[in-house]
Amino acid sequence: MISSCGVYSDHEPPAIIIRICEENSSAIVPKTKPSSPSAAEEEAATTAAKNRARSKRKSFIPSHPLSFPHFLHLHRHLHKPLSVSLEDHHISSPPSPPSSHPSPFKNSIWVNPNSPRASRLRQRSSDSRYARLALLAASLDSSDPTDPSISAVLASFGSAATVQDAVIVLNSMSNSHNAVLALRWFQRKIGREVVLYNVTLKVLRKSKDLVVAEGLWGEMLEKGIKPDNVTFTTMISCARFCNKPEKAVEWFEKMPEFGCHPDDITYSAMIDAYGRLNNVEMALELYDRARAEKWRLDPVTFATVIRVYGISGNFDGALNVYEEMKALGAKPNLVIYNTLLDAMGRARRPWQVKTIYREMCSKGLAPNRATYSALLRAYAKARYAEDALDVYRQMRKEMELDIILYNMLLSMCADVGSVDEAVKIFNEMKELSNACKPDSWSYSAMITAYSCSGKVSEAESMLNEMSEAGYQPNIFVLTSLIQCYGKAGRTDSIVKAFDKLLGWGIKPDDRLCGCLLNVVAQTATEELGKIIGCIERGNTQLGSLVNLLVDEACDNDTVRQEAVVLFHNVSSEVKRAYSNCLIDLCVNLNHLERACVLLDLAIQLEIYTDLQSRSATQWSLYVKGLSHGAALTALHVWMNDLAKSLQNGENLPPLLGIFTGHGKHKYSEKGLASVFQSHLREICAPFHEAPDKAGWFLTTQLAAESWLESRNSSYKVAA
């Protein structure tokens, strides 16, 4: 129907345009068996068929008034047979004068959409055909997994099945077992085409059935069918989806053997595979090539590269990948954000964790268990107690924590001295399911929390509760308990605990001996022999050095030689702790020269690094991370160095500073900053805490020179 203004009414059904094609073959069903499409043609055919099924047909409504004769375009070519297909055309502008470009209506005829002929044409359209084949695939998925059942469903093809039909049907299936049976039927009708194997392998990939996929691969080789790039890419991605990256690498390395060359999709999958195997070098090499050649990378691959950088310790590299991804217009998903949060947690950068998390939430992404776990690990490791507890409270509202996260929280509370919070969390764990009830690590964390706070009776009660729960105290528990007894000055209890440890057959390790060293540095002189006896039984060499430090008659050269042997034989993880405790012992015994000898040795062995720095505008001393005795020893050595510089005619810079940090050691009641503040006042040093730079004590050139010149010689120590 034509409206009064000469155009179609909006209530009319869409028009049908028939294109008169000058072709010999039908556009709907090939009359002869087509040649086998290549791998690229197979992919294109499948994608095009899907796109046709998803696209919506548009009504033919001209945007300008047209008279009826303009709709009829019939150009007959009597010397060639005609083929017919359906098209949807939308006219957006009036007809233009004839030009060198063909008209979109050439070889077309308008057909009334309400006519019987239009109905017949719709039934023959490619969209209708794809829909029928998709329904057929659904029937195959729900059929019994037997040859007769599959053959009965496919019997509707008769002998007219084509490769394109087989590709559409197999690609639409999800039942991997029935897909293999359907493959056999098509092979009997069509032949053993590589494209049929490829599309069936894709169904197996969706089902994560790598075993059957490998069976089809072997069958291809037996039948003499050469795999192509699509075959390899499908096998590699199947192994990737099955979480077997080693298999993906195996398929990838076979490609040259069959004359196949990886494309960017394959390389993208291999970046992920090598990353999952922790083959950092290969993963990053492929990623660098991907950047240079501008490959298309999926979010999973970006997440893997971020994780690889995080594992290798290149945390700035992980951030760069994230920024590159955004610059390319790719949208980070939840997996990428979680991976990046975990990497920044490993880097101990809680401030960046906060920024990334805020950005993630601003994108409308809801945190999941992995997100909360990454936040908890990051904040707990950095001792951001309030932030970690906020995450814990929010997580409790949405899901149940596991035992690992609970223990992580308890350990954090122990580190920062939040005993009350630790008790609340521990009591909550007792009320939960068996999977989250306290285990040996939970009890160990609680004993550590009480021990660090000097609560001896509570620590002992928790030890008894641990034994009643069926857990034998381990070396970590007894180490914390010994530390607790040391803070309380209960030397005899330390000896009993150490004897109990040996009685249980537990061999003292470097950390336990380090704990005894920490205790001996705090023990009164008359009680030293008891603790040194425990140290000798735990580590003979360490006990020998401690005896030399206590002996006033021993010369410093002997002490130095014995210390060199000790540091070469202990693990690198405890060298700094041992050095701190040995220097503390010397300071407590007022053996300042020996403390300086040990400090100098530690600097030479690179146990302490970058303690001093000099620039044109500022000279600085960095003592953060040193024990109180080691830090005070470093201070006096630095002051002697400043005095020597003045004596040698050097000019001091405009500013001098000491950086102590502003934290509190978990085994100390006082932070290093407060200890330094008291000591600087005691020796009348002109250093003052900077109000705008936390952890810094600063002074000017004039004040420092004046003080150094008038300093009493009694404050000097041997350089």
Side-chain angles (χ1 to χ4, degrees):
M1 295 283 297
I2 308 288
S3 67
S4 59
C5 62
V7 298
Y8 281 109
S9 168
D10 290 341
H11 302 290
E12 293 296 319
I16 305 297
I17 300 297
I18 304 175
R19 187 176 65 217
I20 310 300
C21 305
E22 301 179 10
E23 300 171 354
N24 292 321
S25 59
S26 170
I28 305 301
V29 181
K31 299 197 180 288
T32 60
K33 177 182 174 180
S35 60
S36 299
S38 65
E41 289 171 341
E42 168 223 332
E43 291 281 355
T46 304
T47 304
K50 285 185 174 179
N51 289 338
R52 286 196 300 272
R54 285 195 297 264
S55 65
K56 294 183 179 179
R57 197 172 302 279
K58 298 179 181 178
S59 298
F60 182 69
I61 304 176
S63 59
H64 60 285
L66 289 175
S67 61
F68 180 79
H70 284 100
F71 286 95
L72 185 58
H73 303 276
L74 180 59
H75 303 277
R76 301 188 183 277
H77 300 268
L78 300 177
H79 60 285
K80 289 186 179 181
L82 304 179
S83 62
V84 183
S85 67
L86 295 179
E87 286 189 356
D88 300 324
H89 289 278
H90 178 72
I91 301 176
S92 57
S93 60
S96 58
S99 66
S100 58
H101 301 287
S103 167
F105 295 112
K106 185 178 180 181
N107 297 338
S108 301
I109 184 172
W110 179 83
V111 177
N112 190 329
N114 294 322
S115 69
R117 187 179 182 189
S119 178
R120 290 194 299 272
L121 289 172
R122 286 196 187 95
Q123 291 176 2
R124 296 177 59 191
S125 71
S126 58
D127 289 350
S128 176
R129 168 171 163 262
Y130 182 87
R132 290 196 300 272
L133 294 177
L135 288 173
L136 187 65
S139 298
L140 289 171
D141 283 333
S142 59
S143 296
D144 293 334
T146 61
D147 274 322
S149 298
I150 299 300
S151 298
V153 176
L154 294 173
S156 58
F157 277 113
S159 59
T162 66
V163 173
Q164 189 178 19
D165 293 332
V167 167
I168 294 173
V169 170
L170 291 171
N171 194 62
S172 302
M173 293 184 67
S174 58
N175 186 324
S176 59
H177 185 82
N178 287 1
V180 174
L181 295 178
L183 169 68
R184 305 293 182 224
W185 189 91
F186 283 117
Q187 286 176 330
R188 290 193 294 269
K189 300 292 182 180
I190 301 171
R192 298 184 180 277
E193 303 279 354
V194 66
V195 65
L196 299 184
Y197 278 104
N198 288 346
V199 76
T200 307
L201 288 173
K202 291 179 181 178
V203 179
L204 295 171
R205 179 182 63 187
K206 285 189 289 186
S207 303
K208 298 183 180 180
D209 198 340
L210 184 59
V211 175
V212 178
E214 289 179 326
L216 281 185
W217 164 271
E219 180 184 307
M220 289 177 67
L221 299 185
E222 288 178 7
K223 303 296 183 182
I225 299 174
K226 183 182 177 182
D228 57 17
N229 266 30
V230 175
T231 313
F232 277 104
T233 301
T234 306
M235 292 299 298
I236 289 170
S237 56
C238 183
R240 180 186 179 192
F241 293 162
C242 294
N243 201 26
K244 292 189 176 181
E246 69 283 356
K247 284 287 186 180
V249 171
E250 182 181 322
W251 292 109
F252 178 68
E253 293 175 350
K254 284 181 181 178
M255 292 186 75
E257 181 183 338
F258 291 87
C260 295
H261 304 285
D263 56 14
D264 56 349
I265 297 175
T266 307
Y267 278 126
S268 175
M270 290 314 302
I271 292 173
D272 180 59
Y274 281 118
R276 288 171 185 263
L277 288 174
N278 292 328
N279 190 335
V280 175
E281 184 178 353
M282 276 300 298
L284 296 184
E285 181 181 327
L286 286 178
Y287 179 68
D288 289 339
R289 184 174 172 185
R291 292 165 57 199
E293 299 182 12
K294 294 181 171 54
W295 297 343
R296 291 174 298 168
L297 301 179
D298 59 17
V300 175
T301 304
F302 278 114
T304 299
V305 176
I306 291 171
R307 184 180 64 83
V308 167
Y309 272 120
I311 291 173
S312 64
N314 188 348
F315 303 110
D316 290 330
L319 280 175
N320 288 339
V321 172
Y322 172 64
E323 295 299 333
E324 286 172 2
M325 179 185 180
K326 292 193 295 183
L328 292 172
K331 293 183 179 180
N333 59 18
L334 189 59
V335 174
I336 288 175
Y337 278 115
N338 289 345
T339 307
L340 193 60
L341 288 171
D342 183 70
M344 293 303 102
R346 291 171 182 267
R348 295 180 182 271
R349 299 179 183 179
W351 60 92
Q352 286 183 327
V353 169
K354 287 186 175 184
T355 301
I356 294 166
Y357 180 66
R358 281 196 296 265
E359 180 180 322
M360 185 196 89
C361 294
S362 70
K363 303 294 184 183
L365 295 174
N368 60 7
R369 177 177 292 275
T371 312
Y372 286 128
S373 299
L375 290 172
L376 272 181
R377 283 193 296 270
Y379 293 147
K381 190 176 290 186
R383 297 185 185 179
Y384 274 40
E386 287 303 319
D387 293 290
L389 291 172
D390 286 344
V391 172
Y392 156 68
R393 296 182 189 107
Q394 182 62 34
M395 196 173 180
R396 276 184 60 200
K397 297 176 183 177
E398 301 178 18
M399 62 193 72
E400 186 176 295
L401 281 73
D402 57 29
I403 187 66
I404 296 175
L405 293 179
Y406 271 116
N407 287 343
M408 188 188 304
L409 279 168
L410 290 176
S411 296
M412 180 207 67
C413 290
D415 284 345
V416 300
S418 299
V419 180
D420 293 339
E421 288 292 343
V423 172
K424 290 179 184 177
I425 295 170
F426 186 78
N427 290 334
E428 178 187 320
M429 292 174 68
K430 291 181 179 180
E431 304 299 324
L432 297 175
S433 62
N434 290 332
C436 290
K437 285 192 179 299
D439 60 7
S440 60
W441 293 105
S442 311
Y443 286 106
S444 177
M446 287 303 300
I447 292 171
T448 301
Y450 285 130
S451 299
C452 292
S453 301
K455 298 185 176 183
V456 179
S457 59
E458 289 87 346
E460 290 178 332
S461 296
M462 189 59 65
L463 179 64
N464 294 332
E465 185 178 332
M466 180 179 185
S467 300
E468 292 171 1
Y471 298 109
Q472 179 176 320
N474 54 31
I475 194 168
F476 302 104
V477 171
L478 293 172
T479 299
S480 296
L481 200 59
I482 287 172
Q483 187 69 50
C484 185
Y485 288 141
K487 289 174 71 69
R490 292 175 51 171
T491 307
D492 292 337
S493 296
I494 293 174
V495 176
K496 288 179 182 178
F498 189 80
D499 290 339
K500 188 179 293 186
L501 179 144
L502 296 178
W504 286 336
I506 300 175
K507 183 180 178 180
D509 62 1
D510 287 343
R511 294 184 184 276
L512 176 61
C513 293
C515 175
L516 290 170
L517 262 184
N518 190 303
V519 171
V520 81
Q522 306 170 35
T523 303
T525 306
E526 59 273 13
E527 297 284 334
L528 281 177
K530 298 177 182 179
I531 307 300
I532 294 174
C534 293
I535 294 174
E536 287 177 321
R537 286 189 286 167
N539 185 324
T540 305
Q541 203 168 51
L542 179 60
S544 174
L545 177 59
V546 172
N547 277 317
L548 291 177
L549 295 178
V550 174
D551 184 4
E552 295 184 5
C554 181
D555 63 276
N556 291 334
D557 288 339
T558 303
V559 169
R560 186 184 183 92
Q561 292 172 5
E562 195 73 19
V564 168
V565 175
L566 173 70
F567 285 128
H568 283 162
N569 291 328
V570 298
S571 61
S572 57
E573 290 82 4
V574 300
K575 287 182 180 180
R576 191 181 185 93
Y578 276 26
S579 180
N580 280 341
C581 292
L582 292 170
I583 294 175
D584 282 352
L585 177 60
C586 292
V587 171
N588 291 343
L589 294 173
N590 204 28
H591 296 166
L592 299 184
E593 286 190 16
R594 288 181 184 173
C596 291
V597 167
L598 291 175
L599 178 69
D600 181 65
L601 175 62
I603 293 173
Q604 286 188 12
L605 296 177
E606 296 185 347
I607 296 172
Y608 302 140
T609 57
D610 302 323
L611 292 186
Q612 296 186 26
S613 71
R614 292 190 177 189
S615 70
T617 57
Q618 181 173 335
W619 290 2
S620 302
L621 173 68
Y622 299 91
V623 295
K624 181 182 179 182
L626 301 186
S627 63
H628 294 171
L632 293 175
T633 303
L635 171 66
H636 285 282
V637 170
W638 186 58
M639 289 180 172
N640 279 349
D641 290 343
L642 295 179
K644 287 180 181 179
S645 296
L646 282 179
Q647 292 172 5
N648 294 334
E650 289 185 64
N651 292 323
L652 298 183
L655 197 65
L656 294 96
I658 304 167
F659 182 65
T660 63
H662 57 280
K664 181 175 94 63
H665 192 274
K666 67 178 180 179
Y667 293 134
S668 173
E669 295 179 358
K670 292 184 178 181
L672 189 57
S674 61
V675 170
F676 254 64
Q677 190 172 40
S678 299
H679 183 73
L680 291 170
R681 286 175 182 170
E682 181 183 336
I683 62 176
C684 300
F687 289 86
H688 302 284
E689 192 168 8
D692 57 340
K693 297 178 70 176
W696 278 94
F697 292 84
L698 303 174
T699 191
T700 62
Q701 175 188 5
L702 292 176
E705 288 177 351
S706 175
W707 177 76
L708 287 170
E709 290 171 357
S710 63
R711 188 171 58 130
N712 191 307
S713 60
S714 62
Y715 292 112
K716 293 183 181 179
V717 294

